[in-house]
Every structure is written in structure tokens, then in C-alpha cells.
Amino acid sequence: MNKEAGIVTKLVNGKALVESEANVACFSCASKHSCVTFSGTKKRKVWLQNDLNLQVGDTVLYSIEERGIIFASILLYFLPVILLIAGIVVGSYFSQFNIEIASMIGGFIGFLISLFLIKFVSELVKDKVMFKPQLLEKCINESEIEHLKETVI
């Protein structure tokens, strides 16, 4: 489980908006320069269910399941490339005239199909627990945050 600490900045309808800085794993990530969560001025913003009667300014510890992150990464990065290549192959196979244009059209159609699939799958899984950050604990000070990051499973 990926654990992070953040500060509650807003409360709306039983949910808390928590802002946090990039975590330690972000510094070794190959995509850190193109990632919104790592950029210097932007903070990661996450909506959490307010089960602990949080107030604005409270520091909290929350977790995100790795398998949810891995599944989303595969869906967003791997699927479009695979369907783009499949579209190119299918387009060139069924080409009767200009193979380059048929491949280009096939690749474009494959990529569009991947976008629709991503949207469809996202709607199916958006309410599943493994894709939602879970509130773990309300923290009092920095030492408590570090202790909870080490002990909470």
C-alpha cells in the first residue's frame, strides 16, 4: 500500500479535499518530468471520505493500493499503444490500394477504440475500493506521521 500524508484544505458533503506533496517514490520515477503530481508548483489533490470528522487544516495519512495504480497505468499507457499497432496491422492487411494511408487510418481507428475502452472501463471501476484512496488516520504531528507510515498496513 502506498501511504501518503496530506493536509485537509476543503470539506464538501462528507468528503475532504486533501493536498499532499510528491512522495519519495516520485523522485525515482522515470515519468516524473511529465507528471502533474511531481511538478514543483502543483500539489496532489485527493478527495477522501470524511469518516474521522476532519476539519480544514488537519493532517491525515491516506493510502492508495498499488494494484489500482498498476492497473490504471496499464490501461492508460499500454492499451492505446497495443490498439494503435493492431489498427496499423489490420489496416495494412485489408488495404487494396495505398497501404500507408490504410495503415494510418487503421492506427487512428485503433487509437480511438482504445480511448473509448479507457472511458468505458473507467466508468466500470471508478467505485471499486482498489481505485479509491482510503483515509487511514488523523495525525497530530510529524513524528506521528512517520510512525504511522511505517506501521499501518
Side-chain angles (χ1 to χ4, degrees), residues 87-88 91 100-110:
I88 291 169
E100 289 86 13
I101 291 176
S103 296
M104 196 168 53
I105 292 170
F108 182 71
I109 291 171

Side-chain angles (χ1 to χ4, degrees), residues 10-30:
K10 190 175 186 180
L11 299 170
V12 177
N13 297 331
K15 293 192 179 219
L17 180 62
V18 176
E19 289 186 4
S20 62
E21 301 289 334
N23 64 14
V24 176
C26 293
F27 293 101
S28 62
C29 180

Side-chain angles (χ1 to χ4, degrees), residues 122-137:
S122 295
E123 289 297 320
L124 286 177
V125 301
K126 71 179 181 181
D127 292 327
K128 299 217 182 278
V129 174
M130 81 177 207
F131 296 103
K132 287 185 171 184
Q134 300 297 312
L135 182 61
L136 298 175
E137 197 76 39

Side-chain angles (χ1 to χ4, degrees), residues 50-62:
N50 189 0
D51 297 330
L52 300 177
N53 196 24
L54 301 172
Q55 300 299 319
V56 173
D58 287 347
T59 302
V60 296
L61 187 68
Y62 65 94

Side-chain angles (χ1 to χ4, degrees), residues 71-143:
F71 179 82
S73 298
I74 289 170
L75 184 67
L76 293 173
Y77 295 114
F78 189 65
L79 183 66
V81 171
I82 293 299
L83 289 180
L84 174 72
I85 293 169
I88 291 169
V89 170
V90 169
S92 66
Y93 181 76
F94 287 111
S95 171
Q96 294 180 352
F97 302 107
N98 191 337
I99 195 167
E100 289 86 13
I101 291 176
S103 296
M104 196 168 53
I105 292 170
F108 182 71
I109 291 171
F111 183 73
L112 284 179
I113 290 170
S114 75
L115 295 179
F116 288 116
L117 282 173
I118 289 169
K119 178 69 174 163
F120 178 73
V121 172
S122 295
E123 289 297 320
L124 286 177
V125 301
K126 71 179 181 181
D127 292 327
K128 299 217 182 278
V129 174
M130 81 177 207
F131 296 103
K132 287 185 171 184
Q134 300 297 312
L135 182 61
L136 298 175
E137 197 76 39
K138 180 178 174 181
C139 303
I140 306 301
N141 55 42
E142 289 294 320
S143 62

